[in-house]
Amino acid sequence: MLMIVIFLLISFYYIISDLIPMYRKKQWKVFWIYTVIITLDLIMISLTAMGIPLPSPSLPVKKIIFSIFNI
């Protein structure tokens, strides 16, 4: 629970200092990308705090690297 509260406090500061100025300047692409990233982070932190294990991304990353470099 503490991890979620800390994340929300940091996100609140980030929203006030960065996202609101982006919204006012109408930088829509960056605004929506950052909003999606913050939302995904909140979901992952909530799942971790509830004890639900998240799969490791190392195997898909290895497959992508091997396919790019033909190893």
Side-chain angles (χ1 to χ4, degrees), residues 56-71:
S56 173
S58 65
L59 186 60
V61 170
K62 281 183 182 178
K63 287 182 180 180
I64 290 171
I65 290 173
F66 288 153
S67 69
I68 289 173
F69 294 112
N70 294 324
I71 297 176

Side-chain angles (χ1 to χ4, degrees), residues 20-31:
I20 291 176
M22 280 184 219
Y23 181 81
R24 287 185 181 153
K25 291 178 184 176
K26 298 184 180 183
Q27 297 174 338
W28 300 117
K29 289 181 183 180
V30 178
F31 174 80

